[in-house]
Amino acid sequence: MGFANRYLHAVNSSDLRDDEHHHATDALCAAALADTTGAGIGSLLSRVKYADGTQQKLFESGTANLAQLLRIWTARVIEKGRERKWVKEGTAWDAQAAQALYRRVAERSLAYWLDGKCPACSGSGNSKDRRICVPCKGTGKAEITGAGGFELEKVKDMVSELEGLLHSYNARASVRLRNNQGA
Ligand SMILES: [Zn+2]
């Protein structure tokens, strides 16, 4: 299990605590979710993935961003899962199982997106003797572990969703930058 995976799991397990700190982050979550252009979550994605730097730094300084990101992302995944009718939520038992599924998909997709490098080549796609890395066949990407079948499909969907959010955020940011330079 990679670092992001372990950390997100820890965050998620303590997620249900109801204290002042969480009330504060709930307000931030609401603001980011209300932003339908995705700018709120996009900037957070960018900050957590790049600005917070290495995993060690992530641990030291980026944990608040990461915790916040997981909460926002989980809310998004729940929204999408319901919209796309991943599972039926007819009974209380169904609803509880669905919640657990959404949370696992949110946590795994975010962890993979942050930290999904092939461990054999550290994401370069090449082995030390400059051949194509065998375990990942040169893609540089790790396998998504701990999920299979339907759940694995959903994790993959949500990883592309995260890619898409970051991509559109970066595109908008570069347009803004160009406009500012022109002015
Ligand atoms: Zn590899």
Side-chain angles (χ1 to χ4, degrees), residues 118-126 133-141:
C118 167
C121 63
S122 312
S124 71
N126 297 305
C133 173
V134 175
C136 69
K137 302 181 186 71
T139 62
K141 291 184 175 157

Side-chain angles (χ1 to χ4, degrees), residues 68-79:
Q68 189 190 342
L69 180 59
L70 179 62
R71 290 170 69 78
I72 295 170
W73 180 236
T74 302
R76 282 246 162 162
V77 170
I78 291 171
E79 207 176 79

